[in-house]
Amino acid sequence: MSNQLTGYQDEDQTITLNYENSKSIILKILTSEIVQVFQDHGCPTNSYAIEGDKQRQTNYTVENQGDHVEIRTSDLIIKAFDDAKIDVYDAENHPLVLDYRGQRKPLPTDMDDEHRKTVMSEGHAVHAKENPDNVNFEIIKSLAKDEVFYGLGGKTGFLNKRGYEYDNWNSDVPVLHNESETHLYKSIPVMYGLKNGHPYGLFFDDTYKSHFDLGKESENYYYYSAVGGNVDYYILGGHTLKDVVSNYTYLTGVVPLPQKWMLGYQQSRWGYSTSDQRVESIADGFAEHDLPIDVIHLDIDYMYGYRDFTWDTTKYNNPKAFVSKMRKRGIRLMPILDAGVKVDDQYDIYKEGIEKGYFVTNPDGTVYIGSVWPGDSVFPDFGNPDVRKWWAKHVKFFADMGACGVWNDMDEPANFRAKGQLPDDLVFHDGVNISTHAKMHNVFGHLQAQATYEGMKRATGKRPYIITRAAYSGTQKYSTVWTGDNTAVWSHLQLAIPQLNGLGLSGFAFAGTDIGGFQEDTTPELLTRWIEASLLVPLFRNHSILGSRYQEPWAFDKQTLDIYRKYLNLRYRFIPYLYDQFRHETESGLPVMRPLVLNYPDDHETRNLNDEYMIGTNILVAPIVDQGSTKRLVYLPAGEWVDFWNHAEYAGRQYIMADAPIEKLPLFIKKNTILPWGNKVMHVSDEQEKLMTFKLYGECGSYLHYQDNGQDFKYQQGEYNDYYIEVAEDGKVTVKLTKHGFKPTYDKIYVETNQQRYEFDFDSTDNEYKLVNAE
């Protein structure tokens, strides 16, 4: 035996396993379903993903079983063996995570160095490689024949990640993304497995560059490796896949409740922000064509020479007055903010940062100068808490201007020099410690988002609207995300659904893609199918690149414009439901948009389903994602389902052929569901709505609806209302205000069934809704 387990210590939910020839492994029981596995490799251990003490008082036992030490909670069994092997089972002794007992065997290849150079000289990608020589450690787990993988944030490829490899290294990738791209803008190192149908999760909290091979190299194992950091990962158990996902968001945080208008339609283009007249012309277009909208985004051109925290007054005569003018029209403005600060001795942000030593330095102590949009640029050392406070203070600039939020970009951080990256040896802070870019790279965008969020919250008192391109686990506490610079091609419409579902499973409940595609020229059909597919995607934004074909709805033919308008109007009808789902998300940690496998993990048909998604548990969306298609197979899981458009009913656990002419999105509601139905509006108003409608799909059902002021944090002190709506089997309709913590209520509530429309008025004398009419 090469590395014998020599003993253990057990103290206050922390079990230290001692080995003869290696460092101890520490198992820390946080809850009955969450256990941390830690081995010290000499790296500081502050987590950027997990805030606060997540440990709960938990009953457990530790016993020496002779050939292994066994730790039991009510939900997990952990067996520790010689050679530092650790196996994890659920409470019924089903295997979940088992250490692999063999050796890795790299994929065989006939590529030698001479041929590698030849192939690469022609421009081919060469993925066949030996083990990199800078790997600090590997963790290899046994792979079952019936095992599938999900999560990993917004990685490319398919919903089920089995058979693929991925890297965690945030990168600006301007080329066309496909399933062979191992890394993009975000590093979210959480994976979920179903091993023989039994759920588990693994979260590797290591910010260094890391690698997942999920069965590509071998059908016998999967592995994780990292170039630095400690062995520091969390075993996530749970009776269901939903439990496992909730345990992850318990650790890393949930998406905070957004302001309600954030769920409205948003239009963006690199080029809108060249002048106030250009922005106003876009607003005029939406008004002229009777199209609802809530936000116009301003890309880099609004700034003075691409300097952060500036607004070019040669392009905008009076920026603050212009923002106010647009707000009175019902449209908010969302400016971009980049990570690189322009080198300019006359620029106050640069001068202040230099004087205080707030920028990243070379190993010799000189400030590192890279290049982004402003040209020569320096980069804030966001690992330093003082730098984050400084950045947050300056974010007040946007609040004072009246901007609705801040859109962080280029925060991987991107660099136009050094092959798009910052050098690994640049000096960063890691809290109170001095560290390097190699460790802090993957949390640069995370920490910028945190600073931006805290700055806007302090300046406005409202729920901040922050968007970021780069992220790490836990960034969801501070920022919305989008999938980055996609392309106007059909494969990217297809990619959007598994990407967004992966982000949702990984904590990012508020996410979206650039509708229509950011790069290249979209087509009327592609744009139409993209707006349909995005109907219920939380972040609902059309964005395109300077120089590409215009992507405003009126830039195409009348049919495209009419269909686009139809789905914008429909989106606003669904906003009350989406807002309710976000309220549920803040309590459960489960995503709003989700893959079918999350709701139906025991159904094998859902495990590789890439072109459908659900909102909560009762709405199923099956978009057209292939050019020219007007029909498609739709898988309906268990239950009974109602076609949204014609109310035809279908039994579940079957495929149906759905007609989908260009104007139709296949959309299904679970039978006996009640949905809130928003009023037809052009913008989400700050004023409280006076009436609300609820629609029944089926014969009976109930629904709990949430209402608050849609803007600030007063709901956390109980300022909100809950409404209970029920249509009983005997046809009786009930409307109850079950919690009245928010003063305004709906004056009138309508409940629509297949047969009748019921009208209820609010009686303020006894806080009750009373039926006044049934048609």
Side-chain angles (χ1 to χ4, degrees), residues 458-472:
R458 190 176 303 119
T460 66
K462 295 183 178 180
R463 308 168 202 168
Y465 186 28
I466 312 300
I467 301 178
T468 181
R469 189 170 73 176
Y472 182 71

Side-chain angles (χ1 to χ4, degrees), residues 62-273:
V62 184
E63 294 182 357
N64 189 336
Q65 299 288 357
D67 66 332
H68 69 276
V69 172
E70 189 164 299
I71 301 100
R72 284 179 175 260
T73 71
S74 58
D75 296 292
L76 293 174
I77 303 168
I78 300 175
K79 300 178 182 181
F81 295 86
D82 291 337
D83 292 325
K85 301 300 184 185
I86 295 174
D87 296 339
V88 183
Y89 300 78
D90 66 16
E92 285 74 43
N93 219 33
H94 299 121
L96 301 178
V97 182
L98 309 181
D99 272 345
Y100 185 62
R101 266 54 176 187
Q103 297 295 317
R104 273 192 54 212
K105 294 181 180 180
L107 284 171
T109 173
D110 53 4
M111 181 72 71
D112 55 30
D113 288 342
E114 179 181 351
H115 285 92
R116 186 185 304 272
K117 292 177 183 177
T118 302
V119 170
M120 293 180 70
S121 68
E122 192 180 347
H124 294 293
V126 180
H127 295 296
K129 54 188 177 292
E130 295 297 325
N131 293 339
D133 56 12
N134 61 342
V135 167
N136 186 33
F137 60 85
E138 293 178 341
I139 297 168
I140 310 174
K141 304 294 185 183
S142 292
L143 181 56
K145 288 188 180 300
D146 182 14
E147 191 159 11
V148 290
F149 298 114
Y150 306 105
L152 298 184
K155 294 288 192 272
T156 60
F158 304 101
L159 177 67
N160 178 7
K161 305 302 184 188
R162 178 166 177 155
Y164 293 87
E165 63 177 341
Y166 304 93
D167 292 305
N168 289 304
W169 189 251
N170 293 355
S171 302
D172 179 7
V173 183
V175 298
L176 181 69
H177 310 150
N178 57 42
E179 65 264 29
S180 68
E181 198 71 56
T182 65
H183 57 295
L184 288 176
Y185 311 93
K186 301 166 184 66
S187 295
I188 319 296
V190 61
M191 51 167 284
Y192 305 99
L194 288 172
K195 185 190 288 285
N196 301 317
H198 302 291
Y200 68 88
L202 292 170
F203 167 46
F204 297 87
D205 194 7
D206 186 350
T207 63
Y208 282 91
K209 185 175 184 179
S210 60
H211 181 76
F212 284 96
D213 184 306
L214 300 180
K216 177 180 179 178
E217 185 173 88
S218 171
E219 291 190 352
N220 298 317
Y221 59 78
Y222 62 97
Y223 73 89
Y224 168 90
S225 63
V227 304
N230 305 304
V231 174
D232 188 359
Y233 67 95
Y234 294 80
I235 299 160
L236 308 172
H239 295 286
T240 66
L241 186 56
K242 287 182 180 179
D243 293 338
V244 178
V245 173
S246 292
N247 281 328
Y248 171 71
T249 51
Y250 166 74
L251 282 180
T252 61
V254 300
V255 172
L257 191 64
Q259 293 193 58
K260 197 170 186 179
W261 56 263
M262 297 179 195
L263 301 174
Y265 180 72
Q266 307 182 35
Q267 186 75 28
S268 181
R269 181 178 173 86
W270 180 9
Y272 285 168
S273 54

Side-chain angles (χ1 to χ4, degrees), residues 642-676:
V642 179
D643 186 306
F644 173 80
W645 303 104
N646 61 18
H647 293 268
E649 296 185 6
Y650 300 91
R653 296 191 71 90
Q654 67 162 331
Y655 287 91
I656 65 167
M657 180 61 74
D659 284 325
I662 187 65
E663 73 279 2
K664 182 179 178 183
L665 166 71
L667 182 64
F668 299 86
I669 314 297
K670 200 163 193 180
K671 187 177 179 181
N672 294 336
T673 291
I674 294 176
L675 295 180

Side-chain angles (χ1 to χ4, degrees), residues 407-529:
W407 164 23
N408 287 345
D409 195 21
M410 309 296 286
D411 52 345
E412 290 72 33
N415 185 16
F416 297 162
R417 297 178 183 149
K419 298 182 179 179
Q421 303 286 348
L422 273 60
D424 282 353
D425 62 354
L426 295 186
V427 178
F428 276 75
H429 277 79
D430 176 13
V432 298
N433 302 301
I434 299 299
S435 187
T436 64
H437 176 244
K439 181 178 183 185
M440 301 304 295
H441 172 86
N442 280 338
V443 288
F444 186 97
H446 171 92
L447 294 172
Q448 183 180 357
Q450 179 185 3
T452 311
Y453 177 91
E454 291 171 352
M456 285 298 284
K457 182 177 181 181
R458 190 176 303 119
T460 66
K462 295 183 178 180
R463 308 168 202 168
Y465 186 28
I466 312 300
I467 301 178
T468 181
R469 189 170 73 176
Y472 182 71
S473 291
T475 306
Q476 69 268 12
K477 297 188 291 289
Y478 313 117
S479 184
T480 303
V481 296
W482 91 105
T483 56
D485 295 345
N486 63 1
T487 304
V489 292
W490 286 91
S491 63
H492 272 201
L493 174 55
Q494 295 158 7
L495 173 63
I497 297 172
Q499 262 193 312
L500 292 171
N501 279 331
L503 281 165
L505 289 172
S506 305
F508 291 82
F510 202 158
T513 63
D514 288 341
I515 293 170
F518 175 67
Q519 302 177 105
E520 304 298 341
D521 299 325
T522 197
T523 67
E525 183 187 3
L526 178 58
L527 180 64
T528 298
R529 291 308 194 184

